[in-house]
Amino acid sequence: MEGYSNREKNDLEIDGDKEHSVSMLREPFLVRNRKNNTSQIAIVGANTCPIESLDYEIAENELFKQDWRSRKKAEIFQYVVLKWTLALFIGLGTGLVGFFNNLAIENIAGFKLLVTNNLMLKDKYYQAFATYAGCNVVLAIAAAALCAYVAPAAAGSGIPEVKAYLNGVDAPSILAPATLFVKIFGSIFGVAAGFVVGKEGPMVHTGACIASFLGQGGSRKYHLTWKWLRYFKNDRDRRDLITCGSAAGVAAAFRAPVGGVLFALEEAASWWRSALLWRTFFTTAVVAVVLRSLVEFCRTGKCGLFGQGGLIMFDVNSTKATYSTPDLLAVMFLGVIGGVFGSFYNYCVDKALRTYSIINERGPSFKILLVIVISLLTSCCSYGLPWLSQCIPCPPHLAEQCPTESRSGNFKNFQCPPNHYNNLASLFFNTNDDAIRILFTSGSEKEFHLSTLLVFFVAIFCLGIVTYGIAVPSGLFIPVILAGASYGRLVGTLLGPLSNLDVGLFALLGAASFLGGTMRMTVSLCVILLELTNDLLMLPLMMLVLLISKSVADIFNKGVYDQIMKIKGLPYMETHAEPYMRHLIASDVVSGPLISFSGVEKVGNILHVLRVTRHNGFPVIDEPPYSDAPELCGLVLRSHLLVLLKGKKFTKQRVKTGSDIVRGFKAHDFAKAGSGKGVKLKDLEITEEEMEMYIDLHPIANTSPYTVVESMSLAKAAVLFRELGLRHLCVVSKTPGRPPIVGILTRHDFTPEHVLGLYPRIKPHK
């Protein structure tokens, strides 16, 4: 290694015990008194859990090769058809869940607002507040109880967890059926409770959970073990399905099928190919058809209080998008503001999450108490702040009723006399979707006072920060769109004499700038917003504002989802290697001691290694008389060893028995079980006599593992590891006469904490 003497390098090398002490530096949320020496640790819900990597690599062993050779054309055709069938079911399921969510939220929130509004019309203001706050608290407690007691992993947005999963990180319960259940109903209760949260982020997580559930490959518990279901008992196919599910979630949340595909490509998926693009596009198209059909059905009035406001669609085609040089300067100014506000928003969310972790660690009751406090704070702001606004006379010649008497509308009466309305109440006393629609309306239809927009922006900005991190499913899209639209409209009002753009278009561009500043997405956000607003003429301005806001925000910090993954301790691998990795080679960071097996190994040795280590991959090395010199035969997985030991194909002599094992097992016996229901070490019953017997590992060893020479730069190895979606990367010796394998690189070995713990003199680039 350049810049270090041999003595310094030896001093910096670590053994197994030191590795665990170094790994203690990786404490998500700065959790105290954590004891774990087996794997990475991450926050799931509010608890620290050991996490592992996913096996996206195909294990090409003898059983796998025999299975593929024996497959007939009909079975291959069945496999392809099943992929498209599951994509169809993911689209149908996500579309139906998205519609159900909107239907439930609109009716629950609509009923709550209708009752409150009726009490206010009768001048029963205290009873109205008690009813409003009481309903919000009850709904909030229901959402928090589900998250705290049933599925803690369902709290929050879910997008960071899905993004980490598609990167190769397997955290417990993030895609479990219980998480899906809580995500659906917790999101309904949380949004209906008036929290400044969105249902769009949770919909991405919901789509991924539906895809994971359908891709379990059958269930022995429920006797769903048909042969065709076994095709998907591997991480690789599940990853593709979950990619389709995340895209379907965006399509269901925003009615933006193309935006959903681009979201999966740009933000969610770490691995992509053209065939996956086709299936993802098909899935989102199914979602769009389902939603369109159900919305048309609801226009007949058979869906209760559910109207067009339930599924987001903002038509701003009524305004002409013609612009000049002053307009472009105004849009650029808006992009700069969005970048600054977005980076500051991410900073505040980071601090709020770290603060809430201290409270959430204390148990479910404290989680619920925190939710109640935030619910009361939100209710007080929503009900109290409109009293600061002035009453405005109703404009003449309106198409709609003024003041509005129903739950939704642009002109809320609140405490105002007849024929007057309160425009701040129009924003606070509506569902989030309706509030966005009001902000996006053109200036001729509704005027907002500057003070109204300023108060609403500050309130939404602060409430969005303090709400994210509590124990309810909560998305960031809607709070960011609301805050961005309010300051965008504010800037548009101020620049009215200088710009020809409508204030409604300024609101749209403000929302885009804030989204770009917080989430750091460009292409997918641009298409999602264009599909939302149905206005292709805004494309140049939208592209400009997103590029500027992202560029400005990148100066200060990372995107919000990247920050949350780091806080939670999810070891996400970026597309690029860190600059300091160019000064290290692969052998500098491999951890020891290396544990390997012989091609024909004693059962007792295997069992002992499985008990004392938590490694998931072991090199298999052939030695004389099975080979002329020690050579790397392949890599064997822990899960495969457990299945092999349970089958008890042992011999008393140390001889190859590969043909017997190939006949005694099928490839699907070694497939990954759904929801972690595979063979466990405690399930094995090995006698003392069997401990002295031998077993042939050749049939289950992956004979073609990915390998790199020990002198390869760590940066190059990191890019290879990430692009191929590996769990294990073997480092082989460059010099003849040495052991054939130097070590194994895993995801942990590429983490900055591990590398910088080994070489503290390296200064990482800021």
Side-chain angles (χ1 to χ4, degrees):
M1 177 187 147
E2 297 177 7
Y4 289 86
S5 66
N6 290 333
R7 180 178 179 181
E8 288 170 330
K9 286 176 65 176
N10 292 335
D11 290 341
L12 290 170
E13 289 179 354
I14 61 171
D15 56 18
D17 293 334
K18 277 190 178 181
E19 177 189 354
H20 301 321
S21 65
V22 171
S23 68
M24 293 295 288
L25 296 172
R26 301 176 283 99
E27 296 190 5
F29 274 150
L30 306 177
V31 176
R32 297 164 300 282
N33 301 323
R34 175 176 63 78
K35 294 182 180 180
N36 182 282
N37 58 3
T38 60
S39 65
Q40 294 270 160
I41 298 294
I43 292 288
V44 180
N47 302 318
T48 52
C49 300
I51 60 171
E52 297 181 356
S53 294
L54 295 164
D55 289 305
Y56 288 151
E57 182 186 1
I58 295 176
E60 292 184 344
N61 52 39
E62 288 300 322
L63 285 165
F64 172 82
K65 293 175 182 176
Q66 183 193 49
D67 180 62
W68 269 104
R69 284 193 295 264
S70 64
R71 285 194 183 183
K72 302 175 182 178
K73 288 185 178 180
E75 291 178 321
I76 296 174
F77 177 75
Q78 189 181 40
Y79 171 66
V80 174
V81 170
L82 185 59
K83 281 184 175 181
W84 289 93
T85 304
L86 287 178
L88 172 66
F89 286 154
I90 292 169
L92 289 172
T94 309
L96 290 172
V97 169
F99 178 77
F100 170 72
N101 275 15
N102 285 286
L103 184 67
I105 290 168
E106 286 286 309
N107 279 281
I108 295 172
F111 177 76
K112 174 191 71 177
L113 294 171
L114 191 61
V115 171
T116 306
N117 196 44
N118 289 338
L119 287 172
M120 295 193 72
L121 289 174
K122 299 175 183 178
D123 296 336
K124 297 180 179 180
Y125 299 118
Y126 292 110
Q127 293 93 323
F129 174 72
T131 302
Y132 179 71
C135 290
N136 285 346
V137 168
V138 169
L139 292 168
I141 291 174
L146 285 173
C147 280
Y149 292 104
V150 180
S157 169
I159 292 179
E161 287 82 357
V162 173
K163 187 176 177 180
Y165 183 93
L166 294 176
N167 189 255
V169 179
D170 188 15
S173 304
I174 59 172
L175 298 174
T179 305
L180 172 62
F181 173 81
V182 174
K183 205 74 180 182
I184 294 172
F185 290 96
S187 179
I188 291 172
F189 295 143
V191 177
F195 284 121
V196 183
V197 297
K199 54 187 178 294
E200 286 65 32
M203 271 306 304
V204 175
H205 196 177
T206 300
C209 288
I210 292 172
S212 177
F213 178 75
L214 292 174
Q216 287 293 312
S219 170
R220 293 180 182 177
K221 180 179 179 181
Y222 299 106
H223 306 290
L224 298 174
T225 54
W226 300 310
K227 182 179 179 180
W228 57 272
L229 282 173
R230 298 172 185 161
Y231 292 146
F232 288 86
K233 281 185 172 292
N234 63 82
D235 290 330
R236 193 182 184 92
D237 284 319
R238 287 183 195 169
R239 172 189 62 186
D240 291 353
L241 290 175
I242 289 167
T243 303
C244 293
S246 63
V250 174
F254 294 108
R255 281 165 67 184
V258 180
V261 175
L262 292 174
F263 173 85
L265 172 60
E266 181 181 5
E267 183 68 10
S270 297
W271 192 84
W272 198 263
R273 68 180 190 276
S274 58
L276 182 58
L277 177 68
W278 274 96
R279 280 207 304 281
T280 307
F281 185 67
F282 171 71
T283 307
T284 57
V286 171
V287 173
V289 171
V290 170
L291 290 180
R292 176 67 65 180
S293 303
L294 293 172
V295 168
E296 291 298 325
F297 171 76
C298 277
R299 289 187 181 182
T300 60
K302 298 179 180 179
C303 298
L305 295 171
F306 180 85
Q308 284 184 284
L311 288 162
I312 298 181
M313 181 60 78
F314 313 115
D315 193 347
V316 295
N317 263 338
S318 56
T319 57
K320 295 181 180 179
T322 56
Y323 39 86
S324 58
T325 302
D327 298 329
L328 292 176
L329 293 175
V331 170
M332 293 170 67
F333 175 67
L334 202 58
V336 173
I337 294 177
V340 173
F341 278 148
S343 59
F344 181 63
Y345 190 86
N346 292 358
Y347 172 81
C348 295
V349 167
D350 181 282
K351 297 301 180 184
L353 286 173
R354 293 181 183 276
T355 304
Y356 286 166
S357 68
I358 302 171
I359 301 172
N360 291 333
E361 278 178 11
R362 297 179 177 271
S365 57
F366 282 85
K367 293 182 185 179
I368 295 175
L369 183 62
L370 177 61
V371 169
I372 293 173
V373 171
I374 300 300
S375 176
L376 290 174
L377 174 64
T378 305
S379 298
C380 290
C381 290
S382 300
Y383 190 87
L385 290 177
W387 292 85
L388 303 176
S389 179
Q390 299 177 352
C391 293
I392 303 171
C394 287
H397 312 298
L398 276 178
E400 61 177 297
Q401 184 183 21
C402 178
T404 306
E405 293 186 359
S406 62
R407 63 167 183 89
S408 63
N410 287 356
F411 305 98
K412 289 287 185 182
N413 181 258
F414 210 66
Q415 88 289 7
C416 295
N419 298 322
H420 287 71
Y421 72 96
N422 185 321
N423 61 4
L424 193 53
S426 302
L427 298 174
F428 276 116
F429 252 66
N430 258 323
T431 58
N432 292 333
D433 295 356
D434 287 327
I436 295 171
R437 184 171 288 101
I438 293 169
L439 286 169
F440 282 179
T441 54
S442 61
S444 59
E445 295 183 16
K446 181 168 180 61
E447 294 289 345
F448 283 96
H449 288 303
L450 294 178
S451 58
T452 296
L453 294 170
L454 182 62
V455 169
F456 185 72
F457 166 69
V458 173
I460 292 298
F461 189 93
C462 296
L463 288 175
I465 291 168
V466 300
T467 305
Y468 194 84
I470 61 176
V472 296
S474 51
L476 285 169
F477 272 99
I478 292 302
V480 170
I481 291 175
L482 276 171
S486 57
Y487 78 67
R489 196 173 181 106
L490 177 62
V491 171
T493 305
L494 290 172
L495 298 180
L498 304 176
S499 174
N500 295 323
L501 290 179
D502 184 82
V503 288
L505 297 182
F506 265 105
L508 173 60
L509 293 171
S513 70
F514 204 6
L515 283 168
T518 54
M519 299 177 184
R520 313 298 160 82
M521 294 182 282
T522 52
V523 180
S524 54
L525 275 180
C526 184
V527 174
I528 287 171
L529 289 170
L530 290 176
E531 289 185 279
L532 273 180
T533 56
N534 196 25
D535 190 3
L536 196 59
L537 294 174
M538 291 295 292
L539 179 60
L541 297 181
M542 195 79 72
M543 294 171 67
L544 180 64
V545 77
L546 283 169
L547 286 170
I548 293 175
S549 62
K550 181 187 184 303
S551 301
V552 171
D554 281 339
I555 298 173
F556 301 101
N557 51 30
K558 289 188 175 183
V560 65
Y561 297 134
D562 294 321
Q563 284 192 342
I564 293 170
M565 281 192 295
K566 184 177 180 181
I567 293 171
K568 286 178 173 287
L570 298 168
Y572 184 84
M573 289 197 70
E574 300 287 351
T575 53
H576 60 277
E578 296 291 340
Y580 59 79
M581 290 185 177
R582 300 192 190 102
H583 305 294
L584 297 169
I585 60 175
S587 61
D588 286 334
V589 298
V590 290
S591 303
L594 179 67
I595 298 174
S596 61
F597 292 127
S598 299
V600 181
E601 186 61 76
K602 183 182 286 188
V603 173
N605 291 346
I606 298 175
L607 205 59
H608 173 72
V609 168
L610 293 179
R611 283 172 177 165
V612 300
T613 71
R614 293 293 180 220
H615 303 323
N616 285 281
F618 303 91
V620 177
I621 298 176
D622 270 340
E623 298 175 342
Y626 303 110
S627 61
D628 296 333
E631 64 178 23
L632 178 63
C633 171
L635 190 75
V636 64
L637 300 179
R638 168 183 283 267
S639 58
H640 292 182
L641 286 172
L642 291 171
V643 174
L644 192 63
L645 290 175
K646 193 172 184 181
K648 295 192 174 184
K649 300 292 182 180
F650 308 146
T651 58
K652 292 185 178 180
Q653 303 298 323
R654 191 175 183 182
V655 294
K656 285 188 176 183
T657 58
S659 57
D660 294 337
I661 291 176
V662 169
R663 286 193 298 269
F665 289 95
K666 300 295 182 184
H668 62 75
D669 294 330
F670 295 90
K672 184 170 182 177
S675 301
K677 299 297 190 298
V679 180
K680 301 292 193 299
L681 190 59
K682 62 183 179 183
D683 299 332
L684 301 179
E685 296 179 0
I686 308 294
T687 64
E688 290 295 329
E689 182 182 358
E690 291 170 335
M691 296 279 277
E692 299 300 320
M693 299 176 76
Y694 294 89
I695 190 165
D696 188 3
L697 302 182
H698 290 92
I700 65 166
N702 179 8
T703 55
S704 57
Y706 285 97
T707 60
V708 297
V709 70
E710 60 181 335
S711 58
M712 177 181 282
S713 73
L714 188 61
K716 194 173 181 180
V719 172
L720 179 69
F721 190 95
R722 201 257 192 194
E723 293 300 321
L724 294 175
L726 302 181
R727 184 174 187 176
H728 305 103
L729 183 60
C730 299
V731 181
V732 296
S733 176
K734 186 178 181 180
T735 309
R738 294 177 56 193
I741 183 168
V742 176
I744 295 179
L745 289 172
T746 62
R747 181 177 295 266
H748 162 68
D749 297 313
F750 294 104
T751 57
E753 293 83 4
H754 173 69
V755 178
L756 297 177
L758 286 172
Y759 302 103
R761 293 188 182 182
I762 293 178
K763 300 299 181 185
H765 292 267
K766 296 295 184 181

